[in-house]
Amino acid sequence: MSTHRPPEPGGASLDDTDRLLLNHLSRDGRASYAEIGLLANLSATAVRRRIDRLRSRGVVRGFTVVLDPALLGWQTEAFVEVYCRERTSPEELLASLRQFPEVVAAWTVTGDPDALVHLRASDTRHLEAVIERIRKEPGVQRSRSSVVLSQLIG
Amino acid sequence: MSTHRPPEPGGASLDDTDRLLLNHLSRDGRASYAEIGLLANLSATAVRRRIDRLRSRGVVRGFTVVLDPALLGWQTEAFVEVYCRERTSPEELLASLRQFPEVVAAWTVTGDPDALVHLRASDTRHLEAVIERIRKEPGVQRSRSSVVLSQLIG
DNA sequence: ACTGAAAACTTTCTGCC
DNA sequence: GGCAGAAAGTTTTCAGT
């Protein structure tokens, strides 16, 4: 997530110091408060209080480990455009997609398809099976898939 | 990133304990080694050594903070399908897209478009401007955009 | 090769200024 | 926002299985 100079109409009101802290935490989510403080000319206590405040405001949702999908065995990746039936609500679609651990992310979108689904599978065989199962979900009418060739950014 | 039972043809060979550690770290990337050890019936020392090993093998790429894009001022999100000119290489496209801090992620894909670009902007006005600038990149022929309505999963 | 225990060190937490 | 003491976590060393 970029922390670089966005307008904040929602009243988030981060100052440059907050941005500095978040920027460093996005590079090393386990950095100590003292280490972060060195960059911002702040004591570890002050850093901690700022991060706590950002956390309670919801700006910081949490911390996580960044894993290599390929080394975990997820070597094939695809995007599936999902076209729903007339009566399918986003809630129904969510309920359908949640079943699949292969679904990394999913969004409802404007345009021809109703949703865009990001999938990870172990190989093309596995990918085919997952797409087939998604197409058979009651709320899904049809789908159109693109296989990811390479990740340019992200 | 899902850590749930994938085949690992690349020889990653994680055992169930590794998966348990990674699973917990994906929920709390700043969890203490002792805390993680309680779940896995392992000492803090053993947990740390396993995570160090996963890190040196590249399975663990690092740790990061999870931020709320909307609260940071990025309230509009879109996917742009990019159609390149005949001679545009993935490297050229990457060089073009890197310029934009609004580009959250980008992939080259099979199918009609050459690439899929995930954008975040502060509002639709900002989004329009970014899409316009991307369309003017020399390697880009045309594009087709979908605005994200809601994030179902991810 | 992997694990645990304890000592030494570092970080985080809490109360106070 | 900083400081200082207490609590908790981390890291190193040594040894067991």
Side-chain angles (χ1 to χ4, degrees):
Chain A
M1 179 61 45
S2 179
T3 57
H4 203 274
R5 217 191 57 75
E8 298 151 31
S13 68
L14 310 192
D15 61 18
D16 290 344
T17 306
D18 286 331
R19 260 186 260 283
L20 204 68
L21 307 187
L22 295 179
N23 198 38
H24 193 256
L25 278 173
S26 68
R27 285 196 296 272
D28 179 8
R30 280 184 85 96
S32 75
Y33 298 137
E35 178 194 324
I36 302 166
L38 288 177
L39 279 106
N41 285 325
L42 233 53
S43 70
T45 316
V47 171
R48 199 190 85 91
R49 280 197 283 241
R50 274 176 181 266
I51 293 170
D52 280 354
R53 196 159 49 86
L54 291 168
R55 206 188 236 280
S56 71
R57 282 165 50 192
V59 175
V60 168
R61 288 206 189 137
F63 296 87
T64 194
V65 63
V66 182
L67 301 172
D68 185 315
L71 290 179
L72 284 167
W74 306 97
Q75 276 154 346
T76 308
E77 199 176 343
F79 283 92
V80 180
E81 293 174 344
V82 171
Y83 295 74
C84 292
R85 298 191 193 285
E86 300 287 332
R87 309 289 184 87
T88 308
S89 68
E91 290 73 21
E92 287 175 81
L93 185 60
L94 171 59
S96 283
L97 295 174
R98 294 193 75 112
Q99 305 177 80
F100 302 96
E102 293 89 354
V103 173
V104 174
W107 304 265
T108 55
V109 292
T110 65
D112 221 29
D114 297 295
L116 184 64
V117 178
H118 186 189
L119 288 182
R120 279 193 202 276
S122 53
D123 51 31
T124 43
R125 195 175 133 71
H126 180 194
L127 181 63
E128 185 178 25
V130 176
I131 293 173
E132 199 53 42
R133 285 172 60 207
I134 289 176
R135 295 179 84 131
K136 281 179 181 156
E137 285 296 312
V140 174
Q141 193 174 71
R142 63 193 186 88
S143 75
R144 196 173 143 270
S145 307
S146 317
V147 173
V148 170
L149 296 174
S150 72
Q151 177 131 18
L152 294 174
I153 294 175
Chain B
M1 177 61 45
S2 178
T3 56
H4 202 274
R5 219 191 57 78
E8 297 149 34
S13 67
L14 311 191
D15 62 18
D16 290 341
T17 305
D18 287 330
R19 258 186 261 283
L20 205 66
L21 307 187
L22 295 180
N23 198 39
H24 194 256
L25 279 173
S26 67
R27 283 194 297 271
D28 178 8
R30 281 183 85 95
S32 75
Y33 298 136
E35 178 195 323
I36 301 166
L38 288 177
L39 280 105
N41 285 324
L42 232 55
S43 70
T45 317
V47 170
R48 200 192 91 87
R49 278 195 284 241
R50 274 176 182 264
I51 293 170
D52 279 354
R53 195 159 50 87
L54 291 168
R55 207 189 233 282
S56 73
R57 282 165 50 191
V59 176
V60 168
R61 289 207 188 135
F63 295 87
T64 193
V65 63
V66 181
L67 301 172
D68 185 315
L71 291 179
L72 284 167
W74 306 97
Q75 276 154 346
T76 307
E77 199 175 343
F79 283 91
V80 179
E81 292 175 347
V82 171
Y83 295 75
C84 292
R85 297 190 194 285
E86 300 288 332
R87 307 290 183 89
T88 307
S89 67
E91 290 74 21
E92 287 174 80
L93 185 60
L94 172 60
S96 285
L97 294 174
R98 293 191 76 113
Q99 306 176 80
F100 302 97
E102 293 88 353
V103 172
V104 175
W107 304 264
T108 57
V109 292
T110 64
D112 222 29
D114 296 297
L116 183 64
V117 179
H118 186 190
L119 288 182
R120 279 192 203 276
S122 52
D123 51 32
T124 44
R125 197 176 131 70
H126 181 195
L127 182 63
E128 186 177 24
V130 176
I131 292 172
E132 199 52 39
R133 286 173 59 207
I134 289 175
R135 295 179 82 132
K136 281 178 183 156
E137 285 296 313
V140 174
Q141 193 174 70
R142 62 192 186 90
S143 73
R144 195 173 144 271
S145 307
S146 318
V147 173
V148 170
L149 298 175
S150 72
Q151 177 130 18
L152 294 174
I153 294 174

